[in-house]
Amino acid sequence: MIAPEPAASRPKSASFQVGRADLAEPRHDWTREEVAALYALPFPELTYLSATVHRRWFDPAEVQLSQLLSIKTGGCAENCGYCSQSASFDTGLRATKLMEPGMVLAEAARAKAAGAGRFCMGAAWRDLKDRDLPRLEAMISGVKALGLETCATLGMLRQDQARRLRQAGLDYYNHNLDTSPEYYGEVVTTRTYQHRLDTLEHVRSVGLKTCCGGIVGMGEGRADRVGLLHALATLPEHPDSLPINALVPIEGTPLSGSTPVDGIEFVRTVAVARIVCPRAMVRIAAGREGMSRELQALCLSAGANSIFVGGRLLTTPLPGEDADSALMRDLGLRAIPADAEPAASRAPVALPASRPVPA
Ligand code: SAM
Ligand code: DTB
Ligand code: SF4
């Protein structure tokens, strides 16, 4: 039997101090060392911290349900090594043309009736072509008129294109950094990290909200996950929405054989994301289909406050409406209504007076 050491003689559980004041307000000066130290905290300390920060800005019983629609599938000119939609890999996916706005609006209305508060339109494009703008504007204004929050992910954008999307009623633009700057070249070679940062700048510059996150389980190491979250936390403005995807292995893509990330490491990633970007909607995105209910519950307790719902993401499956309703019911969670006041406009809740962190 292992005799427990008396508490007073045990080593301190963190190698640096995160004082209460440090967590009270969003910071943009995180160092990689600090982010790495958060990751390395004992799991109960890390999730206590992230759950505390979560409560400061959000009601932890509320979850935003987001629905995706692939408005233009496959045939993409980029070679992202994880993606079913790249024309560089034979994944068996059938490419389609850009959908008609009427079809998109019918899907959005169905999503709203099923409880979604947000609708995200995704196109497998390297960059947006001006000729497609009128149709996109019709989709965006139509979805917005249904009372849904709108998001789109259409590849690289110029500033004037971002402005037109915003004027049409777009709330968020999704453009992920995906991984650390160092690992990026292992994932995609047809564009650079700087290309991604440039589009994000164009999006921010016209007042659109950013949806920006990444993928875990692409063969990267902990240091790359730290590098991704550090990159997100030190952007000129934090992402307003931060999707964390677990790689869905797609046969035919270069990354399909990657070793999956352990569930506990996934929860750590969610928790650290919540701490370093405290006001972001942290979304459990791809890969939820392969997660146990218990793992999803841990993510939602550690700071995630949104899930993607419906039958599928863009091209890959989701748990589905019955499983998701049962999860929400069993966890006692409520869906954020489509017309709810945005969380960011609510007054922050004070942190507990007691020391919330290990010394
Ligand atoms: N073409 C646009 C772009 O790349 O920005 C938008 C669509 S893309 C499919 C949106 C995001 O989905 C990617 O940035 C990536 O983070 C995520 N994603 C795509 N395929 C995935 C997969 N197999 N597993 C996990 N995440 C994936
Ligand atoms: C994000 O980060 N994840 C969503 C959303 N943003 C667009 C997309 C996940 C796609 C997963 C693979 C697929 O279904 O094709
Ligand atoms: Fe194209 Fe986006 Fe897929 Fe990359 S992730 S191949 S840009 S659709």
Side-chain angles (χ1 to χ4, degrees):
M1 200 179 87
I2 302 170
E5 269 182 86
S9 71
R10 284 186 218 136
K12 297 290 184 211
S13 52
S15 59
F16 79 112
Q17 304 250 169
V18 185
R20 180 172 164 236
D22 287 328
L23 295 180
E25 295 302 325
R27 284 177 51 191
H28 292 81
D29 60 351
W30 288 98
T31 63
R32 278 208 188 204
E33 291 68 32
E34 286 176 318
V35 178
L38 284 175
Y39 251 108
L41 282 171
F43 189 83
E45 291 284 9
L46 173 59
T47 53
Y48 174 69
L49 277 186
S50 63
T52 304
V53 171
H54 188 180
R55 278 153 184 73
R56 177 156 171 77
W57 302 105
F58 297 98
D59 178 342
E62 287 190 341
V63 174
Q64 189 181 44
L65 306 182
S66 190
Q67 174 115 22
L68 271 165
L69 177 67
S70 181
I71 58 171
K72 193 268 165 219
T73 305
C76 183
E78 302 274 21
N79 69 353
C80 311
Y82 48 78
C83 189
S84 61
Q85 307 200 67
S86 168
S88 306
F89 319 125
D90 183 7
T91 63
L93 190 75
R94 197 173 61 87
T96 65
K97 292 201 168 119
L98 180 60
M99 282 173 77
E100 294 292 341
M103 303 271 285
V104 174
L105 297 190
E107 290 293 335
R110 253 194 292 280
K112 188 178 180 194
R118 171 190 176 83
F119 193 73
C120 179
M121 293 156 270
W125 287 324
R126 171 176 161 79
D127 51 10
L128 175 57
K129 301 284 184 292
D130 287 345
R131 63 167 181 264
D132 292 317
L133 265 169
R135 202 184 274 199
L136 291 165
E137 286 166 328
M139 289 176 197
I140 291 165
S141 58
V143 173
K144 185 77 182 163
L146 290 172
L148 287 158
E149 191 169 278
T150 54
C151 182
T153 179
L154 315 166
M156 291 186 244
L157 286 187
R158 300 188 312 267
Q159 189 193 45
D160 60 300
Q161 294 174 321
R163 188 172 294 113
R164 280 191 52 182
L165 296 177
R166 180 168 189 226
Q167 283 164 353
L170 193 66
D171 296 311
Y172 289 79
Y173 194 76
N174 167 252
H175 206 64
N176 289 342
L177 291 180
D178 279 346
T179 188
S180 68
E182 296 77 27
Y183 197 66
Y184 201 69
E186 304 292 322
V187 175
V188 48
T189 58
T190 51
R191 60 164 184 253
T192 64
Y193 220 65
Q194 191 56 48
H195 281 123
R196 298 304 267 186
L197 295 171
D198 291 346
T199 291
L200 288 167
E201 175 53 30
H202 298 153
V203 167
R204 278 192 306 268
S205 71
V206 301
L208 271 173
K209 293 184 183 140
T210 54
C211 173
C212 184
I215 312 181
V216 300
M218 299 192 294
E220 81 287 343
R222 162 80 67 89
D224 296 303
R225 293 186 282 277
V226 168
L228 166 69
L229 292 182
H230 176 258
L232 295 171
T234 55
L235 285 168
E237 288 170 34
H238 287 167
D240 302 282
S241 158
L242 200 166
I244 302 181
N245 298 276
L247 179 75
V248 179
I250 308 282
E251 221 176 299
T253 60
L255 294 175
S256 64
S258 308
T259 308
V261 157
D262 165 68
I264 291 171
E265 183 73 3
F266 189 84
V267 181
R268 283 185 182 276
T269 306
V270 167
V272 176
R274 166 57 61 214
I275 294 170
V276 299
C277 294
R279 304 188 69 171
M281 298 296 294
V282 175
R283 308 183 195 278
I284 320 174
R288 203 166 59 78
E289 155 88 333
M291 293 177 196
S292 69
R293 279 159 46 96
E294 293 79 4
L295 177 53
Q296 295 176 61
L298 272 176
C299 292
L300 292 162
S301 303
N305 57 353
S306 175
I307 57 174
F308 286 92
V309 293
R312 61 179 175 167
L313 288 149
L314 291 169
T315 68
T316 62
L318 278 169
E321 203 181 323
D322 293 349
D324 288 342
S325 311
L327 182 71
M328 295 281 288
R329 183 197 63 222
D330 294 347
L331 297 181
L333 300 176
R334 302 183 301 273
I336 299 178
D339 53 1
E341 177 199 7
S345 70
R346 293 190 202 129
V349 175
L351 289 176
S354 58
R355 177 183 63 86
V357 289

